[in-house]
Amino acid sequence: MSDTVTMPAGAPPARHTSTSSDPRGPRPKPFFTPKKIVIYSILLFASLYFLFPLYVMITTSFKTMPEIRWGNIFAPPIEPTGEAWHKAWFSACTGLTCNGLNPGFWNSVQITIPSTIVSIFIAAVNGYALVNWKFKGSELFFAVLVFGSFIPYQVMLYPLVMLTREMGIFGSLWAVILVHSIFGMPILTLLFRNYFAALPVELFKASRVDGAGFWRIFFEIMLPMSLPIFVVAMILQVTGIWNDFLFGVVFAGTQNYPMTVQLNNIVNSAQGSPEYNVNMAATILTGLVPLFIYFVSGRLFVRGIAAGAVKG
Amino acid sequence: MADLAVQQARKGRAAGGVSRFLHNTFVRNLSAKIAAAPMIATVLVVFIGCTIWTVWYSFTNSRLLPTGDFVGFQQYERLFATARWNVSVWNLVIYGAFSLVFTMVFGFLLAVLMDQKIRFENVFRTIMLYPFALSFIVTGLVWQWIMNPTLGLQGTMRNLGWTGFSFDWLNNPRMVLFALLIAGLWQGVGFVMVLMLAGLRGIDGEIWKAARVDGIPTWRTYLSIVLPMMRGVFVTAVVLVGSGIVRLYDLVVALTDGGPGIASEVPAKYVYNYMFGAGNIAQGLAASTMMLLTVVIIIIPWAYLEFGGRGRRS
């Protein structure tokens, strides 16, 4: 950013900006101006819309079925019980088996951890190579990669099914991990490329002069300096992979369904009368991991979103 | 590639040039090339290869397996003669238009309000953004419960004495898209708000002072100065939200499963069902090729604005 402010056409000339000679100092403002009241009311009203589902989820999950049939979703539970949570975790039916969500939880863990590590490592190395070790065609590959990330997954779904089948991993966790690593690559590579490009190039040159090679510079100079971007990438990947449904349902195979798929099966299976309290407990359980990350990481989550959004 | 090789060979002195060319292409920066191999493979095999494969086989009559004869545009003719596909496309157009306009407008308005030096900014931001951390499946299921006609909001209001209250959008073919919209906005508005807020914060304070000194009313300043300056943020937001809309799938599966009837079917679901349910692969591939076409139509003007424009300026 340069110091000169570029004015759009028709903007006032610069001499008007000297407000320091203004005779009046800032007037002390009362807190309850009409403007403030309007702003806070709108924000509070919006907050109700955003918070209402969370409130309903939590209260419903602690109610008993008779209480739910009584029919007031606003009412807090009269005699709160954790039974629904127990059932959602251990014994709710997800299709043919009735083991609750906990196998799905472990499947999701087994998918998320390696996918996150692999995709971040590959993307970090790519970003580093793209900044410091450009070769003929590297920029072109990168451009195609970024544009490719806009292609709807459905377009590449069937060929990938065939590919994983050929590799003998279709219907296993490995297939899901591979697919997540592939589709995590564009945004993460972009993220790391931009980050490494902002580091002072002298660092790189000095270590080159000292005789360090590709990997040594990466592990000893670049990695130790890039903790913030690693955290951001981790937040993006863990929430993204945990929340995935499509790849899980296509590639994992019935035994390995991740939590989101099992959750959908619990709620939308047609058998018997639906137990809304169990459904809501299961829903919260599935959302807990990303919510935990969101609340713990706070500002970093926002930064991760903003960083992931500056594609291109 | 071949052209390059010829050029290089001509430039070099006979055999020495060729070997230097080979050296440059394969050996120089070898570690970097090895490190970039996964990316190169992904680009060639997945993003280019798989896409070409899909487009190619959409012109065959493959059913259970992707073999079959070349049949020209037959799959596409069938696609556009299928009521379910046409409903799907139309649904996506309506949902997409409303979703795009509302996320942009609400996102921007909320960002403007958040930018008024308010107290508890962090609290408000946390509240608006947390749904974005949740999956579409979770979002869909929560709203499915709230919009449950007997026990959800409608039943509650009726029990409380407002017997005429009606909120049965999930069972109403004409309103079901708006049920999707409520859930979709709940999940995504916070994200756009954060982008817009970052954009607003990036605008130089001097501009605000200048406008104030000139006596330009605040709303005018937003409309004719700030909005044009935030063009980049808007374009980014539109492209991200837009390519998300084309992919719309999980939310529909969790909230309505395409129902009632086929009233809330979307193209992504059509693709999935024909590929993995109905055993008519070529039909699913043709449908997904149409999705690809839609995205290309969204992306090209954006790429032109972003990269074409930048090229001219420099």
Side-chain angles (χ1 to χ4, degrees):
Chain A
M1 272 281 160
S2 60
D3 288 337
T4 50
V5 180
T6 46
M7 291 284 186
R15 63 191 159 85
H16 281 284
T17 55
S18 55
T19 45
S20 53
S21 58
D22 213 358
R24 287 174 299 167
R27 215 184 302 159
K29 284 181 188 160
F31 185 71
F32 286 110
T33 57
K35 188 184 150 198
K36 288 263 158 161
I37 292 172
V38 171
I39 290 176
Y40 282 104
S41 338
I42 296 175
L43 285 177
L44 283 175
F45 187 75
S47 301
L48 283 184
Y49 167 59
F50 288 110
L51 283 175
F52 180 56
L54 187 66
Y55 171 79
V56 170
M57 258 194 282
I58 295 173
T59 50
T60 306
S61 71
F62 285 109
K63 286 178 185 174
T64 56
M65 272 315 286
E67 214 180 305
I68 288 172
R69 284 197 204 92
W70 181 58
N72 183 346
I73 54 170
F74 296 120
I78 300 167
E79 33 191 63
T81 159
E83 258 173 63
W85 289 72
H86 190 270
K87 185 164 183 194
W89 184 251
F90 289 109
S91 61
C93 294
T94 60
L96 294 176
T97 52
C98 294
N99 299 325
L101 273 176
N102 90 80
F105 173 84
W106 293 112
N107 288 336
S108 282
V109 170
Q110 278 172 277
I111 291 168
T112 305
I113 292 175
S115 308
T116 304
I117 295 173
V118 169
S119 57
I120 288 180
F121 180 76
I122 291 177
V125 174
N126 278 340
Y128 162 66
L130 283 169
V131 170
N132 292 328
W133 301 83
K134 288 179 190 158
F135 52 88
K136 197 165 260 166
S138 60
E139 291 293 319
L140 179 70
F141 276 115
F142 178 62
V144 179
L145 187 74
V146 172
F147 274 95
S149 70
F150 288 107
I151 300 173
Y153 300 137
Q154 282 78 9
V155 176
M156 296 167 276
L157 210 52
Y158 204 87
L160 279 176
V161 167
M162 290 181 53
L163 213 63
T164 47
R165 211 176 268 156
E166 286 297 308
M167 294 165 76
I169 55 172
F170 181 75
S172 75
L173 293 174
W174 293 110
V176 194
I177 293 167
L178 178 74
V179 171
H180 278 304
S181 304
I182 286 172
F183 288 109
M185 218 184 273
I187 294 175
L188 294 182
T189 304
L190 184 70
L191 216 62
F192 279 102
R193 194 191 72 143
N194 292 349
Y195 185 84
F196 288 136
L199 292 179
V201 72
E202 284 74 21
L203 264 172
F204 172 73
K205 282 183 182 160
S207 21
R208 280 285 276 160
V209 171
D210 287 349
F214 183 91
W215 294 108
R216 217 170 134 205
I217 299 178
F218 180 68
F219 282 111
E220 289 180 14
I221 315 281
M222 295 295 177
L223 278 197
M225 296 183 70
S226 39
L227 185 68
I229 200 71
F230 268 94
V231 175
V232 166
M234 212 186 71
I235 295 167
L236 277 178
Q237 279 305 82
V238 173
T239 50
I241 294 168
W242 192 272
N243 287 339
D244 160 70
F245 175 79
L246 183 64
F247 297 144
V249 82
V250 172
F251 291 96
T254 327
Q255 292 304 305
N256 308 313
Y257 277 156
M259 212 175 180
T260 46
V261 179
Q262 287 207 334
L263 168 69
N264 192 52
N265 287 349
I266 288 180
V267 177
N268 286 331
S269 61
Q271 57 217 15
S273 60
E275 295 177 282
Y276 300 107
N277 49 359
V278 176
N279 292 352
M280 283 303 111
T283 309
I284 299 174
L285 283 170
T286 310
L288 272 185
V289 168
L291 276 185
F292 176 77
I293 289 171
Y294 168 66
F295 283 117
V296 169
S297 64
R299 281 187 168 279
L300 280 173
F301 185 83
V302 177
R303 253 178 63 189
I305 289 169
V310 285
K311 287 181 177 171
Chain B
M1 261 333 233
D3 273 14
L4 267 175
V6 172
Q7 271 174 17
Q8 294 269 351
R10 268 189 208 140
K11 247 184 269 168
R13 280 137 297 179
V18 174
S19 83
R20 193 187 316 144
F21 166 71
L22 287 176
H23 182 267
N24 274 346
T25 312
F26 298 108
V27 183
R28 209 173 67 90
N29 276 0
L30 189 62
S31 306
K33 280 166 195 165
I34 292 170
M39 177 182 80
I40 294 169
T42 303
V43 166
L44 291 179
V45 176
V46 180
F47 290 119
I48 296 177
C50 290
T51 305
I52 292 173
W53 190 95
T54 291
V55 175
W56 177 261
Y57 276 91
S58 73
F59 292 104
T60 66
N61 60 359
S62 312
R63 295 194 66 84
L64 272 173
L65 286 170
T67 50
D69 304 322
F70 195 80
V71 292
F73 282 95
Q74 207 173 298
Q75 294 295 348
Y76 293 88
E77 282 163 23
R78 185 179 157 194
L79 189 65
F80 285 102
T82 310
R84 198 176 139 202
W85 172 255
N86 289 316
V87 170
S88 299
V89 171
W90 188 234
N91 282 344
L92 194 67
V93 170
I94 295 177
Y95 173 87
F98 276 101
S99 170
L100 204 59
V101 170
F102 283 146
T103 31
M104 289 304 136
V105 171
F106 291 150
F108 182 70
L109 289 180
L110 285 174
V112 167
L113 293 178
M114 296 282 285
D115 200 30
Q116 304 300 311
K117 299 194 181 68
I118 53 160
R119 283 186 205 191
F120 314 117
E121 187 195 316
N122 278 342
V123 178
F124 282 121
R125 200 196 58 214
T126 306
I127 290 172
M128 288 174 204
L129 191 58
Y130 87 88
F132 188 72
L134 295 170
S135 84
F136 274 124
I137 295 293
V138 168
T139 304
L141 296 180
V142 179
W143 285 97
Q144 189 194 42
W145 168 231
I146 292 174
M147 296 190 220
N148 180 312
T150 47
L151 297 172
L153 205 56
Q154 174 175 299
T156 303
M157 291 316 235
R158 288 186 179 175
N159 280 351
L160 292 176
W162 187 353
T163 47
F165 186 85
S166 172
F167 188 57
D168 61 344
W169 291 4
L170 288 184
N171 294 346
N172 182 340
R174 253 180 298 171
M175 297 307 287
V176 69
L177 284 183
F178 295 94
L180 275 175
L181 197 62
I182 289 181
L185 289 178
W186 181 76
Q187 211 257 0
V189 165
F191 160 67
V192 176
M193 186 276 290
V194 165
L195 280 187
M196 302 275 181
L197 190 58
L200 285 174
R201 295 271 153 88
I203 285 173
D204 198 301
E206 293 294 316
I207 284 168
W208 278 107
K209 278 190 202 160
R212 212 166 295 142
V213 170
D214 272 15
I216 302 171
T218 314
W219 66 269
R220 241 351 274 265
T221 315
Y222 271 115
L223 221 58
S224 16
I225 301 173
V226 174
L227 266 181
M229 288 184 76
M230 279 174 61
R231 207 204 91 218
V233 177
F234 266 88
V235 173
T236 306
V238 167
V239 169
L240 289 181
V241 173
S243 56
I245 289 170
V246 176
R247 281 177 198 161
L248 178 69
Y249 175 74
D250 310 12
L251 188 63
V252 179
V253 169
L255 186 61
T256 68
D257 204 23
I262 55 167
S264 61
E265 288 286 350
V266 285
K269 208 166 156 283
Y270 186 93
V271 171
Y272 182 88
N273 287 10
Y274 272 90
M275 276 183 193
F276 302 104
N280 192 339
I281 292 168
Q283 182 65 190
L285 294 177
S288 64
T289 304
M290 292 312 297
M291 290 177 71
L292 174 66
L293 204 63
T294 317
V295 172
V296 168
I297 290 169
I298 296 175
I299 293 298
I300 285 180
W302 168 71
Y304 180 76
L305 277 174
E306 287 295 293
F307 300 110
R310 201 172 291 165
R312 254 178 288 135
R313 243 175 282 149
S314 60

